[in-house]
Amino acid sequence: MAHEHKLEIFRGLWKFKSNTAKIWGVLAFLTFVTVIEVVLGILKPEALMGHVLGMKALNWIFIILTIVKAYYITWDFMHMRDEVKPLRRMVVWTAVFLIFYLVFILLQEGGYIESVYRTGFIKTDF
Amino acid sequence: MNTTVATGTEGKTWGGGNKPLKASYGKMMMWFFILSDALTFSAFLAAYGFSRFKFIDSWPIADEVFTHFPFLHGVEAPMYYVAFMTFVLIMSSVTMVLAVDAGHHLNKAKVTIYMFLTVIGGLIFVGSQAWEWNTFIKGEFGAVQTKGGNILQFVDTDGHRVAVADFAKVEAGQRTQHQSKNGLWFESESELPAFTMSEITKGLEAHPEVLVRTQILNAEGKKTVLSREESIKQLNENGKLFVQGANLHVNEYGSPLFADFFFFITGFHGFHVFSGVVLNIIIFFNVILGTYERRKSYEMVEKVGLYWHFVDLVWVFVFTFFYLV
């Protein structure tokens, strides 16, 4: 069985000589992203505390960086990059659509219940 | 008996024997298992999000809950420990993928070393998780639960947390826990809280520098600190129970739901890590025994590797939603 690996990440911006080199490169990138997350989490810059689309800008940054990390773990560590397109789509799109739906419904309803509490129909402060 | 049936479609698209996904059965099924497990985890995390949105103005701030680092007592170090745990898990993912790569080159010695390192990484992670749970369960400052189930914490005038044990007035003549060996043998009760409400109220009255902090987040995203009069009033009127640490019923850091989800989600993830370690150990011994060497294929390492990376993947999300966001 042949094991060809695609040896470039960032759409060919970063090319590697061997699969091992690519693994270390991806590790460096993931560590870099994690360090950014931790630094932002500790500093909590005032500029990022404003609300964007119902959530703090900082939280959006965290979620986007998490998805970026998830992408590189799946694509390079789990070798999704080397699988054929149909397998990739079967696994990824199924998860993406179901998760988006579930998260949307639950967060929407959670927000609604919060508004019921806040508008004083239910006493919580005692 | 010859069971082969000629259908006249051999070699055509629907003639069978095609492998459109170019992946072996085992690997494909591992992917589909991972997909379903990913949906399970996202359901848990979405449920966490639901409860959090429900109590969006009083949810505990993770930075104030997880502030400990082993061997650094009294030092506020939010995030560092969990960042370390994240790094350990990513690192063990790297050794795993290196093992898979060595397997492709049929290099038994290298696969052995990398599998061993992966197992060690997994064990360090599970151990760290246990330490994190232990710290969380023990708690640090203690708090008072109100009749409505809210949590009142105590701070000094600078806003630093104050432990209940530091100001409560210990009174003599408190009742002791009823144990079946001392009283009615068929009756028992759970452990009494370390302080009674009257001890805490009297202690608060005697210490003018101590204030009550509620769970409500103010406009700056900080917990509201009550004035002196309000503090005493709130504690007298609503205070019900002294709580220390967290379990499935009470949580000194805020909403009990936070503790419930923390135990459930990190517990379920920890269980995945644990089973991953067990699988890795089995594979490790198979590698040493030369099973895959004889098979001329290390695909088993690859399949277990997929699972192991998935555990790492889930942790990336748990890290974000429990500690960062």
Side-chain angles (χ1 to χ4, degrees), chain B residues 213-271:
Chain B
R213 193 175 82 155
T214 67
Q215 289 302 298
I216 309 296
L217 295 162
N218 58 23
E220 290 99 59
K222 302 250 162 51
K223 302 283 182 191
T224 314
V225 178
L226 300 179
S227 70
R228 190 64 194 149
E229 298 77 56
E230 278 174 356
S231 296
I232 294 171
K233 185 168 163 258
Q234 178 77 323
L235 194 67
N236 275 329
E237 278 179 7
N238 297 330
K240 194 181 160 203
L241 179 72
F242 169 73
V243 291
Q244 169 93 42
N247 54 41
L248 293 173
H249 305 290
V250 292
N251 172 13
E252 73 155 70
Y253 307 100
S255 171
L257 276 173
F258 179 81
D260 296 344
F261 276 110
F262 178 78
F263 288 130
F264 190 65
I265 295 178
T266 64
F268 197 66
H269 176 261
F271 176 66

Side-chain angles (χ1 to χ4, degrees), chain B residues 2-317:
Chain B
N2 190 0
T3 50
T4 313
V5 180
T7 55
T9 54
E10 287 85 0
K12 296 207 165 82
T13 310
W14 300 103
N18 263 333
K19 278 191 167 181
L21 298 180
K22 297 192 176 57
S24 72
Y25 176 79
K27 212 163 122 183
M28 217 158 65
M29 288 306 129
M30 183 51 96
W31 269 116
F32 293 144
F33 164 70
I34 286 172
L35 175 61
S36 68
D37 217 16
L39 293 175
T40 309
F41 270 107
S42 26
F44 293 162
L45 284 172
Y48 170 81
F50 172 79
S51 297
R52 186 175 173 165
F53 269 48
K54 210 166 123 183
F55 298 108
I56 196 81
D57 58 348
S58 61
W59 201 249
I61 301 169
D63 279 3
E64 294 178 356
V65 180
F66 307 103
T67 58
H68 302 271
F69 201 91
F71 312 115
L72 292 179
H73 294 288
V75 180
E76 287 241 333
M79 303 268 291
Y80 293 106
Y81 192 55
V82 73
F84 160 77
M85 283 166 69
T86 309
F87 187 70
V88 166
L89 208 55
I90 291 183
M91 214 41 231
S92 84
S93 242
V94 168
T95 53
M96 185 80 227
V97 74
L98 288 171
V100 172
D101 186 69
H104 288 165
H105 299 111
L106 297 177
N107 187 337
K108 182 180 163 185
K110 266 193 174 174
V111 180
T112 314
I113 294 169
Y114 286 133
M115 282 308 294
F116 180 73
L117 290 175
T118 310
V119 169
I120 296 296
L123 289 177
I124 295 176
F125 183 85
V126 177
S128 307
Q129 189 87 280
W131 185 86
E132 185 97 334
W133 271 47
N134 186 37
T135 323
F136 185 66
I137 291 168
K138 266 197 203 146
E140 191 178 7
F141 298 105
V144 167
Q145 194 176 39
T146 67
K147 289 177 208 155
N150 296 324
I151 286 291
L152 303 176
Q153 296 167 330
F154 301 93
V155 291
D156 61 17
T157 36
D158 299 329
H160 296 296
R161 292 288 301 278
V162 176
V164 173
D166 292 344
F167 69 85
K169 256 193 152 61
V170 179
E171 294 170 334
Q174 295 299 334
R175 61 177 288 254
T176 50
Q177 186 188 353
H178 177 103
Q179 285 170 311
S180 50
K181 63 174 182 187
N182 300 332
L184 295 171
W185 60 269
F186 52 86
E187 267 183 21
S188 60
E189 67 178 357
S190 50
E191 212 177 313
L192 294 173
F195 300 101
T196 63
M197 276 320 295
S198 103
E199 285 174 334
I200 299 172
T201 346
K202 291 208 177 101
L204 182 69
E205 276 159 8
H207 287 77
E209 76 284 1
V210 179
L211 300 169
V212 162
R213 193 175 82 155
T214 67
Q215 289 302 298
I216 309 296
L217 295 162
N218 58 23
E220 290 99 59
K222 302 250 162 51
K223 302 283 182 191
T224 314
V225 178
L226 300 179
S227 70
R228 190 64 194 149
E229 298 77 56
E230 278 174 356
S231 296
I232 294 171
K233 185 168 163 258
Q234 178 77 323
L235 194 67
N236 275 329
E237 278 179 7
N238 297 330
K240 194 181 160 203
L241 179 72
F242 169 73
V243 291
Q244 169 93 42
N247 54 41
L248 293 173
H249 305 290
V250 292
N251 172 13
E252 73 155 70
Y253 307 100
S255 171
L257 276 173
F258 179 81
D260 296 344
F261 276 110
F262 178 78
F263 288 130
F264 190 65
I265 295 178
T266 64
F268 197 66
H269 176 261
F271 176 66
H272 273 74
V273 179
F274 174 75
S275 36
V277 169
V278 171
L279 288 174
N280 282 345
I281 289 174
I282 295 171
I283 297 300
F284 172 68
F285 281 113
N286 275 343
V287 171
I288 291 183
L289 292 172
T291 312
Y292 308 126
E293 196 65 33
R294 284 193 293 278
R295 217 179 264 178
K296 288 276 169 277
S297 159
Y298 280 82
E299 209 196 42
M300 212 55 209
V301 178
E302 206 171 333
K303 282 182 263 189
V304 171
L306 282 180
Y307 178 72
W308 189 249
H309 296 309
F310 170 70
V311 166
D312 181 26
L313 186 69
V314 170
W315 179 255
V316 165
F317 283 89

Side-chain angles (χ1 to χ4, degrees), chain A residues 34-52:
Chain A
T34 309
V35 167
I36 291 180
E37 283 181 335
V38 171
V39 168
L40 283 178
I42 290 168
L43 292 181
K44 298 202 174 187
E46 207 50 51
L48 298 174
M49 296 313 249
H51 281 242
V52 182

Side-chain angles (χ1 to χ4, degrees), chain A residues 9-10 12 17 20 42 44 49-50 57 75 77 84-85 94 105 113 123:
Chain A
I9 60 173
F10 307 135
K17 291 213 171 62
T20 334
I42 290 168
K44 298 202 174 187
M49 296 313 249
W75 254 241
F77 286 177
V84 295
K85 223 176 230 175
T94 312
I105 293 290
I113 295 176
K123 187 174 163 66

